[in-house]
Amino acid sequence: MAERSLIVDGCQYANWSEKIFREMRAGGVGAVHVTICYHEDFRETVQNMIVWNRWFERFPDLIVQARTAADVRQAHADGRTAIIFGFQNPSPIEDDIGLVEICHGLGARFMQLSYNNQSLLATGCYEAEDPGITRMGRQVIKEMNRVGLVVDMSHSAERSTLEAIEISERPIAITHANPASWHPALRNKSDTVLKALAESGGMLGFSMYPHHLAGKSDCTLESFCTMIARTAELMGVERIGFGSDLCQDQPDSIVEWMRVGTWSKEIDYGEGSAAQAGFPPQPDWFASNADFPGLADGLRAVGFDAEDVARIMGGNWLDFFERSFGPMAVGPMAAA
């Protein structure tokens, strides 16, 4: 049964600060999957974890690391926000499958198989051709399944995403994207993908990043929540939640780094343009974590009942964490 008061955000990359941690508490946010890697290699990712450890030491009344669903429940009961580590690129495992287990041991619970470009594992959504999951990708998915590191295909291309759903023995996630039928951004997902995701038991987190919204920064809460209602009809209400992709207080130099990393000498504008190269303004109904309660109001306004609102706001993610973060069951108990 979904926990009725829990709020979970399936993805953020804010410019973390005490202010933001306090806004999480003001908004009643019980757990956030935070990006700790875009283009970093293993050692650089470990350095980012060290920075987070210092924040956990400085703000123990506000945030705590979570590795399990039980950790999330405990943080929620204690009035703290559970922080779940995730990677938006497989770069921390470099070309070594052994690092999958090491990263999971360090607390990572989500890893995207590609970030916009082709990786050693899968194809990103900006490539002209999508040959699908690579040989290494198949092996890494198997290892991720074994240890409990969730396959995330938020920035991956269509064929790669469908193949990941098929290959993975455990449900995958698309932590931050919207239906392409509502807004045809390259990062948004086709109904074919969304149906396959739902049928496999996976999760979709709805993004509030303006380039993923119909009307972009001018998107209304009513339009956004009406889209959620339509997606619930397509996927089932138990397969959806939020993955805001909130990048609060980040300078524009960060979005350039996200898009370009170290792979190009030319500027890549992603879903933006030369005229709008930086972060677009957030819609007025979601500027920070303190605005999460307004999403619940929006869901009620388009017809969701109290139980479904609780599921979408956080209960579905918690159920997914329960099934996904531990080692894969094997042997007689797995078949029971």
Side-chain angles (χ1 to χ4, degrees):
M1 179 64 180
E3 296 197 4
R4 293 184 177 274
S5 59
L6 178 67
I7 296 174
V8 177
D9 193 348
C11 188
Q12 288 190 29
Y13 186 65
N15 188 4
W16 306 107
S17 65
E18 181 178 0
K19 181 192 84 169
I20 291 176
F21 299 148
R22 292 197 179 281
E23 286 174 347
M24 288 175 172
R25 301 313 314 142
V29 180
V32 178
H33 161 213
V34 304
T35 296
I36 60 165
C37 159
Y38 273 94
H39 306 291
E40 293 92 333
D41 63 15
F42 177 76
R43 185 62 185 85
E44 291 166 334
T45 300
V46 170
Q47 183 60 46
N48 291 344
M49 292 177 174
I50 291 170
V51 172
W52 269 104
N53 283 344
R54 298 298 173 264
W55 283 326
F56 295 141
E57 290 176 1
R58 287 182 61 195
F59 306 110
D61 57 328
L62 300 176
I63 56 172
V64 62
Q65 185 177 359
R67 298 166 181 260
T68 66
D71 291 343
V72 172
R73 289 192 182 92
Q74 188 62 56
H76 183 52
D78 294 342
R80 298 189 288 178
T81 300
I83 301 297
I84 301 162
F85 291 163
F87 306 157
Q88 293 221 29
N89 217 344
S91 53
I93 69 165
E94 301 177 5
D95 59 358
D96 187 346
I97 195 170
L99 289 177
V100 171
E101 186 169 22
I102 297 299
C103 288
H104 183 270
L106 293 173
R109 291 297 179 267
F110 291 88
M111 184 172 78
Q112 288 184 191
L113 299 194
S114 55
Y115 183 79
N116 295 343
N117 294 350
Q118 179 73 42
S119 77
L120 289 173
L121 311 182
T123 306
C125 60
Y126 282 89
E127 299 287 2
E129 303 292 335
D130 178 11
I133 301 297
T134 66
R135 295 173 67 214
M136 183 178 178
R138 289 174 178 271
Q139 295 299 317
V140 167
I141 289 172
K142 183 177 180 180
E143 182 70 355
M144 292 173 72
N145 287 168
R146 183 182 73 84
V147 303
L149 183 59
V150 177
V151 174
D152 185 354
M153 300 300 283
S154 295
H155 282 256
S156 298
E158 175 116 343
R159 176 180 169 184
S160 290
T161 303
L162 291 170
E163 288 187 0
I165 292 168
E166 180 181 359
I167 293 165
S168 181
E169 297 182 59
R170 304 179 78 169
I172 78 160
I174 295 172
T175 58
H176 53 296
N178 296 322
S181 59
W182 180 61
H183 179 60
L186 287 174
R187 272 270 290 100
N188 285 341
K189 305 303 178 184
S190 72
D191 284 359
T192 300
V193 165
L194 298 181
K195 287 177 183 177
L197 181 68
E199 289 168 1
S200 67
M203 273 288 294
L204 172 69
F206 295 109
S207 170
M208 284 82 99
Y209 186 64
H211 286 316
H212 305 156
L213 302 174
K216 299 202 173 184
S217 301
D218 295 326
C219 180
T220 65
L221 179 59
E222 180 182 10
S223 174
F224 183 69
C225 290
T226 299
M227 175 273 291
I228 292 174
R230 291 173 181 161
T231 310
E233 293 175 357
L234 177 72
M235 298 183 64
V237 73
E238 72 280 3
R239 297 288 172 244
I240 57 176
F242 291 109
S244 70
D245 208 8
L246 183 66
C247 298
Q248 185 181 348
D249 294 345
Q250 293 284 18
D252 285 346
S253 59
I254 289 294
V255 75
E256 179 179 316
W257 169 77
M258 290 175 182
R259 295 164 175 166
V260 174
T262 58
W263 65 270
S264 173
K265 294 192 292 183
E266 300 176 2
I267 298 298
D268 185 304
Y269 294 110
E271 299 285 0
S273 64
Q276 294 181 311
F279 283 109
Q282 284 293 123
D284 58 11
W285 44 270
F286 192 79
S288 79
N289 285 275
D291 292 329
F292 266 101
L295 297 176
D297 294 338
L299 294 174
R300 287 188 286 267
V302 299
F304 286 104
D305 64 24
E307 182 173 356
D308 287 347
V309 169
R311 282 197 166 278
I312 297 167
M313 293 299 296
N316 287 335
W317 273 124
L318 185 62
D319 290 346
F320 184 81
F321 299 164
E322 190 77 64
R323 293 181 283 125
S324 302
F325 286 174
M328 185 165 64
V330 295
M333 292 299 294

